Amino acid sequence: MEGESQRNLSDSRRNISKKDQERSASRLERLASHMAAVPLVREAQLARQECAKVKIKHQVHVSTLVEFLTQGHQSEQEKVYRFFLERPHLQTPVEIHKDKHRELCMRQLTAVVREAGIRPMDLLLNDPASYFVFTEAIGHIDLSLAIKLGVQFSLWGGSVINLGTKKHRDKYLAGISNLDYPGCFAMTELHHGSNVQALQTTATFDRLTDEFVINTPDEGATKWWIGNAAVHGKFATVFARLKLPSPDSHLDKDMGVHAFIVPIRSMEDHSVLPGVEIRDCGYKVGLNGVDNGALRFSNVRIPRDNLLNRFGDVSRDGEYNSSLPTVNKRFAATLGELVGGRVGLAYGSVGVLKASVTIAIRYALLRQQFGPPNKPEISILDYQSHQQRLMPLLASTYGFHFATQYLVNRYAEMKVTHDDEVVADVHALSAGLKAYITSYTAKALSTCREACGGHGYAAVNRFGSLRNDHDIFQTFEGDNTVLLQQVAADLLKQYKEKFQGGALSVTWNYLRESMGTYLNQTNPVVTHREGHGHLRDPNFQLDAFQYRTARLLHTAALRLRKHSQRLGSFGAWNRCLNHLLTLAESHIESVILAKFIEAVNRCPDKDVRSLLKLVCDLYALDRIWEDIGTYRNQDYVAPNKAKAIHRLVEYLSYEVRGVAKELVDGFGVPDFVLRAPIGLQNGQYSEYMQYVGF
Amino acid sequence: MEGESQRNLSDSRRNISKKDQERSASRLERLASHMAAVPLVREAQLARQECAKVKIKHQVHVSTLVEFLTQGHQSEQEKVYRFFLERPHLQTPVEIHKDKHRELCMRQLTAVVREAGIRPMDLLLNDPASYFVFTEAIGHIDLSLAIKLGVQFSLWGGSVINLGTKKHRDKYLAGISNLDYPGCFAMTELHHGSNVQALQTTATFDRLTDEFVINTPDEGATKWWIGNAAVHGKFATVFARLKLPSPDSHLDKDMGVHAFIVPIRSMEDHSVLPGVEIRDCGYKVGLNGVDNGALRFSNVRIPRDNLLNRFGDVSRDGEYNSSLPTVNKRFAATLGELVGGRVGLAYGSVGVLKASVTIAIRYALLRQQFGPPNKPEISILDYQSHQQRLMPLLASTYGFHFATQYLVNRYAEMKVTHDDEVVADVHALSAGLKAYITSYTAKALSTCREACGGHGYAAVNRFGSLRNDHDIFQTFEGDNTVLLQQVAADLLKQYKEKFQGGALSVTWNYLRESMGTYLNQTNPVVTHREGHGHLRDPNFQLDAFQYRTARLLHTAALRLRKHSQRLGSFGAWNRCLNHLLTLAESHIESVILAKFIEAVNRCPDKDVRSLLKLVCDLYALDRIWEDIGTYRNQDYVAPNKAKAIHRLVEYLSYEVRGVAKELVDGFGVPDFVLRAPIGLQNGQYSEYMQYVGF
């Protein structure tokens, strides 16, 4: 039944989408009339005129906004959307059994590569920025598809290309690219997710046959959660401890974790190969279009050539050689090549947030409930609590967009220049933004569902699948808590090594200056200033963010030094762990704000710039208010200023509400991609009625 | 496949459950040895000895703790658990299609009533405390079943019994009770969820035929989300505007919203009756065992007797009469009778929280990842960040348990005495606790999933279904944002009417005293005191909670008065909405803490009492720390004291971690009910291996 309703929905959406152009012309008039119909807002507007120092122009052309946001990539996304729009049989229905979803997902992937003529592997290698834009669009079609695609190209393909050498590229690239060789990335084990350096699977070199022998030594070493393994994969990049027989001892030498290409299913009849055991990890909270499996190996033999040998190799006679001197450095180099996955997740998470925020805000504009005595009911977005719930979320989405756009560009730069400083920057930034944004989006998805009340609970309105599918973004490709510790560790390293005159990486540069401010006393005049001009000055905002980061960094370094004498470095780290996580988050927020402010400043269109400035102010001040305890404890902000910030956040939320429609339209997710009846640009209720069959 | 694995799992669980008794004897030894195996904890323990003013006794007998928590109701829950344990065909599999789930859920309900011989309707009417304990156990089996049961007995049954009169009880009670009359509660409409007083469905009296004629005047008046309507319901309590033809005018007189019994399907062949249209609301985010439908009526005629006439009646000649003078009062009385649903949701939400916290904490004790150099890996619950994540959550669960237990007892008291003061108390308290606890649990479920990393994402480990099913607890039976406003309104009413000498309702009584403290200056000596004895003194903790509530109440009253002159009362309320929601939450937290402290004090067992005191301290101080900005802004807490509170929260989290296993065992959810392999008392990994088929 759902399948059919889904198709009806798509048909009518196609019509809606045709009318899009005519509609955008009359958008301003409708907004004006809509606001006029809301008495409360007018009253409140009068009462708040004294606050309105910055007058917001409502003459925003949404198309200009979209153009500025997409930076010329719009047509690539539209190509994906159109492809699926024209193929209803490739659209994922609202309810679908795991097994059918997996088959559909594979068909979708095959169609993208073989029918739409898009070559994700080429994009990833030659034009990474376009690759990430493309996968964001794929995620809007179905997040399972985006992950299935990521497993095939970024993880399986990426491991072969980045950890292997020319012989691997020659042998596998074409097959990976055209899907003849579907593959897996077999890193995680039952007992080891975050601590991958402790993986237990072994690959022992057999000099007699010139082969590696892959084994699963115990239950805990079972490869777990391996995408593409349960059904479709023919190969796997298996991470295992390289063991070399030692002439002096009956114990093998452990060379640490390396990656190996292991065929797992027959190219002829897809049967599981001897020595390989595969089980289905089963139904998951989300992403059920991806076939995750568990793998065990028992004396599986692979040629020596199957070692992905870019960072370490074994010769015919069993000698190990590597340009990198230690196990740790080799392991870091290996993992380092996989950073693209995190970039993709951070970027894709913002895509999910855009869809979710669009649905929640369009519904909040439509939905009316209660009102002043003997007057019409008002939109729920006219309630202060609803503005407080959704407007900072909308502002954050814009901030995250600009920050991840910066990250993607840095990643593309890194792939060209291989500059050490850029590499370090991309590593820490991708870890931090992935962790911060995916955690934020996960919470935001719940907030959006709740904001849509009962109608948010209908599966057709998308919050369920978005939340369930996105949920694991917080865990895979690095658990967020672990990633934030990497950011903190990187900050501390820079603090120790480079603070006294050395070069800080670009993104970190602000810290030197802020540390100066922090170490000096705060200026008592500034701590009391509460005018809007001051509070909305990007210099004040940035300083507040960076001051906090500098303070957290300095005090963390002191506390770690103090505790490590008694507890050792591991114990001291654990003793300061909450502090370190807060430091990492604070740093990431500083980066997001800085990128947001840069985006505002470079925006060529005056109206769009003024709109973005408003949104950026809300982002900055809301964050400061959310952490006001810290600012008060340091007397960085006096009590009167704290109150002024709070009032301004409420006022800015109210002002952003006035342009909320334009701001979500600016995300440019078409109705037929968004799909949720309550999130459409128009006719939401009637579309919803139609969906249930009236 | 899942069905089969599910059965295997149950079989092995049965064995586990048999061994339970033997195991509990050796619990202490294992805990001690477990802790000894963790070098970090020992190191940290040494380092923290200076903090350990209160020595926690680990000699807790879990059975004593369970006994104190369940207050003699344990066997009722065990009866439910055993019934389902012995009937694998009635257990819900991990993945199930909506339609099959609905049929299973109906079979489960029928089996409970007709095979297990439990009569929920009788329990609800005669022993409400037992009814809520029983439904908590049912929720552990499947939340869909708990809601399906709630629709049948609490909503459909409750509306007939509480809004009707003897004739209705005589005609319907037996059929409702034995499930011959499955029914619905048709209140919500497409356009009206929260503002039910604005419902648009009409029931017009036809004097000629002595009937009411039920109509759906427009799209927005379509009844929506009606549980039991899509498949099983034969009757519905329909909320509609009572219209009486007026002799003087061609317009009918609108008497406001009343409830009517409307047959919707034939008793003979279950066909939908003429004039009734039913559609399926379709797949939902969760609770897919419940068949929610949409209903439209077109000239559906029902006898005059079908008006549920306890609060208002129509005579044979079309005269309206009621003991209540106004539409508003009648509507309030009608809704007031439905308060039991909220009590049940608050209580049930704590049950969900218990299950979720148990799984997350057991897994965190099992899971080891990373560790000091050249030493074994440590349990993730030994990380400060993980303690910070889960220990306050565990403490809150205990607080909520005692608060909702109090609510249930007050509800039972109300049903006996009908005392006005108790009625008012139960109304405000059920609204507040339902809103606060369900919001908290929803967030906690996400936290627990994240805390279990990848393995938390396996559907078999329960977080997905628990979160999806529980999600709507925040919305139905009153949207949480709306309910909190009712609490705030009630506080303000008491503030205005009774503050000067009148009697405050029992739960509110503390406010008079606190208001005194608040209006006087805070004592500068107290604001600086930071010793553990002071911070762990329940008087300090309660004072902090109540001071905050009193301050928020007083300032809200002042702000409302100020703004209402210019904005009118509706505009002023909206202008202060964030403030009012904070006030309501603050009050509810005060109530929870008060009930927690009372429970600690009345606990007869010394060891359990000392354990609960520790947990209560963590609850209180964590809440204060979370809102430290407020306390600092008011200088209720000096900077040094703020820091001391933060340190103590981290220390108490560490200390509670040492007894976390006992504390979750104390919730008494048996392994075969909990079901999640990673949440079992023992053998989690091997159970999980078995589940995927190894």
Side-chain angles (χ1 to χ4, degrees):
Chain A
M1 190 213 76
E2 277 81 7
E4 203 158 62
S5 311
Q6 190 70 10
R7 267 197 295 286
N8 291 341
L9 199 53
S10 305
D11 288 339
S12 62
R13 271 172 198 147
R14 215 165 307 167
N15 298 333
I16 288 172
S17 121
K18 278 178 198 160
K19 292 182 201 153
D20 263 8
Q21 272 194 312
E22 307 160 32
R23 280 189 187 127
S24 66
S26 64
R27 211 161 262 153
L28 175 65
E29 288 82 341
R30 279 187 292 111
L31 181 82
S33 70
H34 178 79
M35 291 197 58
V38 181
L40 176 76
V41 171
R42 274 187 303 172
E43 279 185 299
Q45 223 161 13
L46 286 171
R48 277 162 168 171
Q49 271 185 350
E50 77 271 21
C51 301
K53 294 268 162 71
V54 176
K55 281 211 181 126
I56 292 309
K57 310 236 176 346
H58 290 304
Q59 300 91 321
V60 169
H61 294 287
V62 172
S63 57
T64 316
L65 179 60
V66 172
E67 205 182 298
F68 180 65
L69 289 178
T70 54
Q71 299 283 331
H73 284 294
Q74 202 182 347
S75 63
E76 294 156 49
Q77 298 205 321
E78 275 169 5
K79 185 177 172 187
V80 171
Y81 298 150
R82 260 198 318 277
F83 179 78
F84 281 93
L85 175 63
E86 287 158 7
R87 286 163 184 77
H89 64 285
L90 286 180
Q91 292 165 15
T92 311
V94 171
E95 181 178 19
I96 180 171
H97 187 278
K98 167 180 99 276
D99 299 334
K100 285 189 178 166
H101 196 179
R102 289 166 170 189
E103 285 315 313
L104 173 62
C105 201
M106 193 65 205
R107 284 206 309 279
Q108 290 170 330
L109 180 60
T110 311
V112 166
V113 174
R114 297 185 182 164
E115 288 181 48
I118 297 168
R119 284 301 172 106
M121 198 70 227
D122 297 354
L123 280 180
L124 180 59
L125 296 176
N126 306 319
D127 182 4
S130 288
Y131 174 80
F132 293 118
V133 166
F134 156 73
T135 53
E136 185 200 6
I138 287 288
H140 282 309
I141 300 300
D142 186 337
L143 282 172
S144 282
L145 176 59
I147 298 306
K148 181 98 178 168
L149 187 145
V151 168
Q152 173 68 13
F153 300 114
S154 174
L155 293 179
W156 154 237
S159 60
V160 171
I161 302 306
N162 296 315
L163 305 179
T165 48
K166 184 171 179 299
K167 63 183 176 187
H168 301 111
R169 184 184 274 252
D170 291 347
K171 187 167 174 188
Y172 295 98
L173 182 57
I176 293 171
S177 185
N178 67 18
L179 293 178
D180 282 347
Y181 296 170
C184 316
F185 182 81
M187 180 181 267
T188 299
E189 296 176 356
L190 178 61
H191 284 191
H192 286 101
S194 294
N195 188 5
V196 279
Q197 207 165 357
L199 293 175
Q200 295 299 315
T201 303
T202 57
T204 310
F205 183 60
D206 180 350
R207 196 156 55 171
L208 222 60
T209 61
D210 199 23
E211 289 171 321
F212 288 105
V213 188
I214 312 288
N215 271 298
T216 303
D218 57 33
E219 179 184 278
T222 309
K223 293 290 177 186
W224 210 271
W225 287 132
I226 310 308
N228 241 348
V231 182
H232 297 119
K234 289 207 181 339
F235 298 87
T237 294
V238 174
F239 289 80
R241 316 196 76 79
L242 200 175
K243 301 258 187 176
L244 292 178
S246 158
D248 321 321
S249 143
H250 60 103
L251 282 176
D252 299 332
K253 267 195 296 182
D254 185 335
M255 308 307 296
V257 174
H258 287 67
F260 303 83
I261 295 178
V262 182
I264 57 170
R265 284 194 179 87
S266 154
M267 286 303 290
E268 280 77 48
D269 62 4
H270 204 65
S271 60
V272 176
L273 293 175
V276 179
E277 274 182 287
I278 305 181
R279 296 291 180 275
D280 189 335
C281 287
Y283 193 52
K284 303 190 296 288
V285 172
L287 295 182
N288 279 300
V290 184
D291 53 318
N292 293 86
L295 289 169
R296 267 201 314 214
F297 303 99
S298 173
N299 292 315
V300 174
R301 291 180 163 269
I302 53 168
R304 183 168 53 95
D305 265 353
N306 283 24
L307 167 64
L308 292 167
N309 60 342
R310 179 168 159 206
F311 296 118
D313 205 355
V314 173
S315 69
R316 177 62 192 88
D317 54 358
E319 290 300 311
Y320 186 79
N321 56 75
S322 168
S323 58
L324 298 167
T326 64
V327 170
N328 282 351
K329 278 206 197 300
R330 289 194 292 271
F331 190 68
T334 302
L335 288 194
E337 281 305 325
L338 307 172
V339 73
R342 286 177 195 159
V343 176
L345 287 185
Y347 198 80
S349 184
V350 184
V352 174
L353 187 56
K354 286 174 190 167
S356 171
V357 166
T358 302
I359 298 168
I361 288 180
R362 292 223 181 108
Y363 178 71
L365 288 164
L366 167 79
R367 181 73 170 181
Q368 301 183 330
Q369 208 78 180
F370 298 107
N374 308 315
K375 290 196 176 166
E377 292 185 299
I378 66 170
S379 288
I380 57 175
L381 199 52
D382 288 320
Y383 287 102
Q384 189 186 50
S385 56
H386 220 72
Q387 290 169 8
Q388 172 92 347
R389 220 174 189 180
L390 295 181
M391 295 302 99
L393 222 147
L394 174 58
S396 296
T397 311
Y398 269 86
F400 298 169
H401 173 87
F402 294 120
T404 51
Q405 203 167 51
Y406 169 78
L407 173 63
V408 162
N409 292 335
R410 286 290 272 178
Y411 179 83
E413 187 188 340
M414 176 187 93
K415 281 292 178 187
V416 175
T417 66
H418 301 284
D419 179 274
D420 278 352
E421 205 178 276
V422 183
V423 170
D425 203 24
V426 168
H427 277 225
L429 205 54
S430 62
L433 285 173
K434 184 270 187 189
Y436 186 89
I437 292 174
T438 59
S439 289
Y440 187 97
T441 297
K443 287 184 187 62
L445 284 163
S446 286
T447 305
C448 288
R449 199 298 293 161
E450 291 150 37
C452 292
H455 296 317
Y457 202 58
V460 70
N461 287 323
R462 301 288 306 282
F463 294 116
S465 60
L466 286 174
R467 178 171 60 191
N468 288 335
D469 290 344
H470 176 275
D471 192 13
I472 200 65
F473 280 41
Q474 299 173 94
T475 303
F476 61 19
E477 304 261 338
D479 178 89
N480 285 356
T481 308
V482 176
L483 292 181
L484 288 176
Q485 291 180 63
Q486 289 181 15
V487 174
D490 194 56
L491 286 164
L492 282 156
K493 192 173 141 220
Q494 304 229 9
Y495 176 84
K496 282 183 205 155
E497 289 177 7
K498 300 186 180 171
F499 229 76
Q500 315 292 336
L504 285 164
S505 74
V506 180
T507 318
W508 272 222
N509 235 334
Y510 73 87
L511 284 172
R512 193 178 311 109
E513 205 178 322
S514 304
M515 197 60 77
T517 323
Y518 161 64
L519 293 174
N520 295 316
Q521 285 298 316
T522 50
N523 181 335
V525 176
V526 176
T527 62
H528 282 85
R529 283 184 68 187
E530 57 173 88
H532 284 197
H534 169 67
L535 297 178
R536 299 183 71 164
D537 179 349
N539 292 319
F540 158 69
Q541 296 163 0
L542 258 182
D543 187 72
F545 278 53
Q546 298 179 348
Y547 165 88
R548 181 181 57 167
T549 309
R551 187 186 71 82
L552 285 163
L553 178 55
H554 183 69
T555 50
L558 293 180
R559 288 186 65 206
L560 283 171
R561 197 165 57 195
K562 184 183 113 192
H563 289 303
S564 59
Q565 290 163 3
R566 206 165 43 177
L567 302 174
S569 62
F570 182 85
W573 187 266
N574 192 13
R575 188 68 178 273
C576 301
L577 198 44
N578 294 332
H579 184 153
L580 293 163
L581 296 173
T582 309
L583 163 65
E585 286 171 342
S586 174
H587 170 64
I588 294 301
E589 288 184 348
S590 305
V591 173
I592 292 167
L593 178 62
K595 297 304 152 197
F596 202 160
I597 291 172
E598 281 172 28
V600 172
N601 291 339
R602 73 165 179 267
C603 179
D605 182 272
K606 197 163 57 67
D607 294 332
V608 171
R609 190 167 61 244
S610 122
L611 180 72
L612 291 175
K613 173 72 171 72
L614 166 68
V615 178
C616 185
D617 285 345
L618 176 58
Y619 173 75
L621 293 165
D622 175 67
R623 292 287 89 203
I624 295 173
W625 174 247
E626 284 297 313
D627 198 18
I628 199 68
T630 300
Y631 290 105
R632 283 288 298 114
N633 277 339
Q634 299 304 312
D635 267 329
Y636 182 87
V637 159
N640 70 316
K641 187 170 189 165
K643 279 185 195 154
I645 290 170
H646 188 199
R647 276 196 306 271
L648 188 51
V649 169
E650 285 187 344
Y651 172 70
L652 292 173
S653 291
Y654 154 79
E655 201 165 0
V656 171
R657 177 258 174 268
V659 281
K661 187 188 180 314
E662 282 72 8
L663 285 166
V664 297
D665 289 352
F667 294 142
V669 187
D671 277 354
F672 65 87
V673 173
L674 203 58
R675 301 198 287 282
I678 61 166
L680 303 181
Q681 298 207 32
N682 281 294
Q684 291 122 299
Y685 279 133
S686 54
E687 191 80 37
Y688 195 22
M689 286 290 281
Q690 212 176 312
Y691 170 74
V692 308
F694 278 116
Chain B
M1 193 212 73
E2 276 81 6
E4 205 157 60
S5 311
Q6 190 71 9
R7 268 196 297 284
N8 292 340
L9 200 52
S10 304
D11 288 339
S12 61
R13 271 171 200 148
R14 218 164 306 166
N15 299 332
I16 289 172
S17 121
K18 279 177 199 161
K19 293 180 202 152
D20 263 10
Q21 272 193 312
E22 307 159 30
R23 277 190 190 125
S24 66
S26 65
R27 212 162 262 152
L28 175 64
E29 287 84 339
R30 280 188 290 111
L31 181 82
S33 70
H34 178 79
M35 291 198 60
V38 180
L40 177 77
V41 171
R42 274 186 304 169
E43 281 184 299
Q45 225 160 10
L46 286 170
R48 278 164 168 167
Q49 270 183 351
E50 78 271 21
C51 302
K53 295 268 163 71
V54 176
K55 281 211 182 125
I56 291 309
K57 309 233 177 351
H58 290 304
Q59 299 92 319
V60 169
H61 294 287
V62 171
S63 57
T64 317
L65 178 59
V66 172
E67 207 182 296
F68 180 65
L69 289 178
T70 53
Q71 300 282 332
H73 284 295
Q74 204 181 347
S75 63
E76 294 156 49
Q77 298 204 322
E78 275 170 6
K79 183 177 174 186
V80 171
Y81 297 151
R82 259 199 319 277
F83 179 78
F84 281 95
L85 175 64
E86 287 159 7
R87 286 163 184 78
H89 64 285
L90 286 181
Q91 292 164 17
T92 312
V94 172
E95 182 178 17
I96 181 170
H97 187 279
K98 167 179 99 276
D99 299 333
K100 285 188 180 164
H101 197 179
R102 289 167 170 188
E103 284 315 313
L104 173 61
C105 202
M106 193 65 204
R107 283 206 310 278
Q108 292 170 330
L109 180 60
T110 311
V112 165
V113 174
R114 297 185 183 165
E115 288 181 48
I118 298 168
R119 283 303 171 103
M121 198 69 226
D122 297 352
L123 280 179
L124 179 60
L125 296 176
N126 305 319
D127 182 5
S130 288
Y131 174 80
F132 293 119
V133 167
F134 156 73
T135 53
E136 185 200 8
I138 287 288
H140 283 309
I141 301 299
D142 186 337
L143 281 171
S144 282
L145 175 58
I147 299 306
K148 181 99 178 168
L149 187 145
V151 168
Q152 173 68 13
F153 300 113
S154 174
L155 293 179
W156 155 237
S159 61
V160 171
I161 303 305
N162 295 315
L163 305 180
T165 46
K166 183 168 180 304
K167 63 184 175 186
H168 301 110
R169 184 183 273 251
D170 291 347
K171 186 165 176 190
Y172 294 99
L173 182 57
I176 292 171
S177 186
N178 67 18
L179 293 177
D180 281 347
Y181 296 171
C184 316
F185 182 81
M187 180 182 265
T188 300
E189 296 176 355
L190 179 62
H191 284 191
H192 286 100
S194 294
N195 189 4
V196 279
Q197 207 166 358
L199 294 176
Q200 295 299 314
T201 302
T202 55
T204 310
F205 184 61
D206 181 350
R207 196 157 53 171
L208 222 59
T209 61
D210 198 23
E211 291 173 320
F212 289 105
V213 188
I214 312 288
N215 271 299
T216 302
D218 57 34
E219 178 183 277
T222 309
K223 292 290 176 186
W224 209 271
W225 288 130
I226 309 309
N228 242 347
V231 180
H232 297 119
K234 290 209 184 328
F235 297 87
T237 295
V238 173
F239 288 81
R241 315 198 77 78
L242 201 175
K243 302 255 187 179
L244 292 178
S246 159
D248 322 321
S249 142
H250 59 102
L251 282 176
D252 298 333
K253 266 196 296 183
D254 185 336
M255 308 307 296
V257 174
H258 287 66
F260 303 83
I261 295 179
V262 181
I264 57 170
R265 284 194 180 88
S266 153
M267 286 304 289
E268 278 78 47
D269 62 4
H270 204 64
S271 61
V272 175
L273 293 175
V276 179
E277 273 183 289
I278 304 181
R279 296 290 180 276
D280 189 335
C281 288
Y283 193 53
K284 302 191 295 289
V285 171
L287 294 182
N288 280 299
V290 184
D291 53 318
N292 294 85
L295 289 170
R296 269 200 313 215
F297 303 100
S298 173
N299 292 316
V300 174
R301 292 180 164 268
I302 52 169
R304 183 168 53 94
D305 265 351
N306 284 22
L307 167 64
L308 291 167
N309 60 341
R310 177 167 160 206
F311 297 118
D313 204 357
V314 172
S315 68
R316 177 63 192 92
D317 55 358
E319 288 301 311
Y320 185 80
N321 57 76
S322 168
S323 58
L324 298 166
T326 66
V327 170
N328 282 351
K329 280 207 197 301
R330 288 194 291 270
F331 189 68
T334 301
L335 288 193
E337 281 305 325
L338 307 171
V339 73
R342 284 177 197 160
V343 175
L345 287 184
Y347 198 80
S349 184
V350 184
V352 174
L353 188 56
K354 286 174 190 168
S356 171
V357 165
T358 302
I359 298 169
I361 288 180
R362 292 223 181 109
Y363 178 71
L365 288 164
L366 167 79
R367 181 75 170 180
Q368 300 183 330
Q369 208 77 178
F370 299 107
N374 308 316
K375 291 196 176 165
E377 293 184 299
I378 66 170
S379 288
I380 57 175
L381 198 51
D382 288 320
Y383 287 102
Q384 189 186 50
S385 56
H386 220 71
Q387 290 169 9
Q388 173 92 346
R389 222 174 188 178
L390 295 180
M391 295 303 98
L393 220 147
L394 175 57
S396 296
T397 311
Y398 270 85
F400 299 170
H401 173 86
F402 295 120
T404 51
Q405 204 167 49
Y406 169 78
L407 173 64
V408 162
N409 292 335
R410 286 291 271 177
Y411 179 82
E413 186 188 341
M414 176 187 93
K415 281 290 177 187
V416 175
T417 66
H418 301 285
D419 177 275
D420 277 353
E421 206 178 273
V422 184
V423 170
D425 203 23
V426 168
H427 277 226
L429 205 54
S430 63
L433 285 173
K434 184 272 189 187
Y436 186 88
I437 292 175
T438 59
S439 288
Y440 187 97
T441 297
K443 286 183 188 65
L445 284 163
S446 287
T447 304
C448 288
R449 199 299 293 161
E450 292 150 27
C452 293
H455 296 316
Y457 202 57
V460 71
N461 287 322
R462 303 285 310 280
F463 295 117
S465 59
L466 286 175
R467 177 171 62 192
N468 288 334
D469 289 345
H470 176 276
D471 194 12
I472 200 65
F473 279 41
Q474 299 172 94
T475 303
F476 61 18
E477 304 261 341
D479 178 89
N480 285 354
T481 308
V482 176
L483 291 182
L484 288 176
Q485 291 179 62
Q486 289 182 15
V487 174
D490 194 54
L491 285 164
L492 283 156
K493 192 172 142 222
Q494 305 229 11
Y495 176 84
K496 281 183 207 156
E497 289 178 7
K498 301 187 180 171
F499 231 76
Q500 316 291 337
L504 285 164
S505 75
V506 179
T507 318
W508 271 222
N509 236 334
Y510 73 87
L511 283 172
R512 192 179 311 111
E513 204 179 321
S514 303
M515 196 60 77
T517 323
Y518 162 64
L519 292 174
N520 295 316
Q521 284 299 315
T522 50
N523 180 336
V525 176
V526 176
T527 63
H528 282 84
R529 284 183 68 186
E530 58 174 86
H532 285 198
H534 169 67
L535 297 178
R536 299 182 71 165
D537 179 348
N539 292 318
F540 159 68
Q541 297 164 0
L542 258 182
D543 187 72
F545 277 53
Q546 297 179 350
Y547 165 87
R548 182 181 57 168
T549 309
R551 187 186 72 83
L552 285 163
L553 177 55
H554 182 69
T555 50
L558 292 180
R559 288 186 64 206
L560 283 171
R561 196 164 60 196
K562 184 183 114 192
H563 289 303
S564 60
Q565 291 162 4
R566 204 164 45 176
L567 302 173
S569 63
F570 182 85
W573 186 267
N574 193 13
R575 187 66 177 275
C576 300
L577 198 44
N578 294 332
H579 185 152
L580 294 163
L581 296 174
T582 308
L583 163 65
E585 286 170 342
S586 174
H587 169 65
I588 293 301
E589 288 184 347
S590 306
V591 173
I592 293 167
L593 179 62
K595 296 304 151 198
F596 203 160
I597 291 171
E598 280 172 27
V600 172
N601 291 339
R602 75 165 177 268
C603 179
D605 182 90
K606 196 163 59 67
D607 294 332
V608 171
R609 188 167 63 244
S610 123
L611 180 74
L612 292 176
K613 172 71 172 71
L614 166 69
V615 178
C616 185
D617 284 346
L618 177 57
Y619 173 75
L621 293 165
D622 175 67
R623 293 285 91 206
I624 293 174
W625 173 248
E626 284 298 314
D627 198 18
I628 199 69
T630 300
Y631 289 105
R632 283 288 299 114
N633 277 339
Q634 300 305 311
D635 267 329
Y636 181 86
V637 158
N640 70 316
K641 187 170 190 166
K643 279 185 194 155
I645 290 170
H646 187 199
R647 277 196 306 271
L648 187 51
V649 168
E650 286 188 345
Y651 173 69
L652 291 174
S653 291
Y654 154 79
E655 201 165 359
V656 171
R657 177 257 174 269
V659 281
K661 186 187 180 316
E662 282 73 8
L663 284 166
V664 297
D665 288 351
F667 294 143
V669 188
D671 277 355
F672 65 87
V673 173
L674 203 59
R675 300 198 289 281
I678 61 167
L680 302 183
Q681 297 207 32
N682 281 292
Q684 292 121 301
Y685 278 134
S686 53
E687 191 82 37
Y688 195 22
M689 286 291 281
Q690 213 176 311
Y691 170 73
V692 308
F694 278 116

